[in-house]
């Protein structure tokens, strides 16, 4: 294995040089002094020569040690930069999302949710469209949709967000002179308007 193939050994060597002693470097790296000594010995064995000159008073780099130190510092700096960039890329959302919703629910609820999402993730571009007609999400290039009623496209994965309660309402003037219906069949004799279509929960 190349001496530059083990970042742990290189980090140990750099820390020893920066700290001025093996004992100080061991405290900084939170390892035992014998462990750090073995790592230095392993790096010197792979190098085929001594990297440090040590006596009772001081420690100094050999010519080979000085060269390896420069290369090791550059490699460790590059590795830290790559790791930081990788974590940054994973943490920050970016890209474009095309979302659609039914008109009424989209204007009253979804638009506010999208606004909050964009503020929290400024690198994301959201294209929001409103439609009350049945959509073929894949063919029309939609990434996500929020709709009421059943989903006609079986290729799309759906998740229920909640339930919408519907009720029959009528004005007092409409019911004046008429019997107040107490069952659905009682509506047959009254003029009424309803939203139709699968996107509104109706089969037609």
């Amino acid at each position: 294995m190349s001496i530059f193939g083990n970042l742990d050994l290189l980090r140990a060597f750099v820390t020893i040089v920066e700290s001025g002693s093996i004992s100080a470097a061991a405290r900084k790296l939170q390892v035992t002094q014998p462990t750090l000594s073995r790592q230095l010995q392993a790096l010197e064995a792979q190098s085929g020569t001594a990297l440090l000159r040590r006596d009772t008073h001081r420690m100094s780099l050999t010519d080979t040690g000085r060269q390896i130190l420069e290369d090791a510092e550059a490699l460790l700096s590059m590795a830290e930069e790559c790791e930081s960039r990788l974590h940054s890329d994973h943490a920050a959302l970016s890209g474009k999302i095309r979302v659609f919703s039914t008109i009424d629910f989209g204007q009253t609820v979804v638009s506010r949710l999208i606004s909050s999402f964009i503020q929290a993730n400024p690198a994301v571009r959201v294209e929001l469209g409103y439609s009350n007609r049945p959509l073929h999400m894949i063919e029309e290039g939609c990434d996500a949709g929020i709709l009421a009623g059943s989903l006609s496209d079986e290729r799309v994965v759906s998740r229920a967000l909640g339930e919408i309660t519907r009720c029959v309402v009528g004005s007092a003037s409409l019911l004046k002179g008429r019997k107040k219906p107490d069952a659905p069949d009682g509506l047959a004799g009254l003029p009424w308007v309803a939203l139709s279509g699968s996107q509104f929960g109706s089969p037609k």
Side-chain angles (χ1 to χ4, degrees):
M1 177 185 292
S2 167
I3 62 172
F4 297 107
N6 190 326
L7 293 182
D8 289 335
L9 294 183
L10 296 177
R11 187 174 289 106
F13 175 59
V14 170
T15 306
I16 290 172
V17 175
E18 292 177 345
S19 302
S21 69
I22 294 178
S23 58
R27 289 192 297 270
K28 184 174 182 179
L29 294 174
Q30 297 183 338
V31 298
T32 64
Q33 185 172 338
T35 297
L36 202 56
S37 295
R38 286 193 297 270
Q39 290 179 324
L40 176 59
Q41 292 170 4
L43 188 62
E44 289 181 327
Q46 292 180 11
S47 304
T49 185
L51 303 179
L52 293 172
R53 298 188 187 93
R54 287 162 285 176
D55 55 34
T56 56
H57 301 292
R58 60 190 298 271
M59 180 178 64
S60 61
L61 288 164
T62 64
D63 291 341
T64 302
R66 187 173 294 104
Q67 179 181 348
I68 290 179
L69 176 65
E70 293 177 0
D71 294 338
E73 288 175 335
L75 282 174
L76 291 173
S77 177
M78 184 180 298
E80 291 174 1
E81 182 180 344
C82 290
E83 185 174 358
S84 176
R85 185 166 57 247
L86 179 63
H87 289 166
S88 176
D89 290 344
H90 285 173
L93 297 177
S94 62
K96 177 182 177 181
I97 305 175
R98 189 179 184 198
V99 182
F100 81 90
S101 174
T102 50
I103 297 174
D104 50 353
F105 188 72
Q107 291 177 333
T108 56
V109 179
V110 179
S111 58
R112 293 201 300 268
L113 294 176
I114 294 295
S115 177
S116 299
F117 178 81
I118 293 175
Q119 292 180 30
N121 302 275
V124 178
R125 178 186 173 191
V126 179
E127 180 180 327
L128 176 60
Y130 299 130
S131 177
N132 282 343
R133 64 177 176 83
L135 292 181
H136 299 285
M137 289 184 57
I138 296 177
E139 287 80 354
E140 299 188 41
C142 296
D143 298 302
I146 302 175
L147 53 82
S150 59
L151 188 65
S152 59
D153 193 343
E154 297 180 352
R155 298 169 299 172
V156 177
V157 178
S158 63
R159 295 288 185 273
L161 298 179
E163 295 182 353
I164 298 176
T165 301
R166 294 181 296 175
C167 57
V168 179
V169 296
S171 66
S173 59
L174 174 68
L175 296 175
K176 187 177 181 179
R178 293 187 174 95
K179 180 182 178 181
K180 183 178 179 180
D182 53 8
D185 291 343
L187 299 173
L190 297 175
W192 54 277
V193 178
L195 296 172
S196 63
S198 59
Q199 66 272 34
F200 298 110
S202 174
K204 296 181 180 180

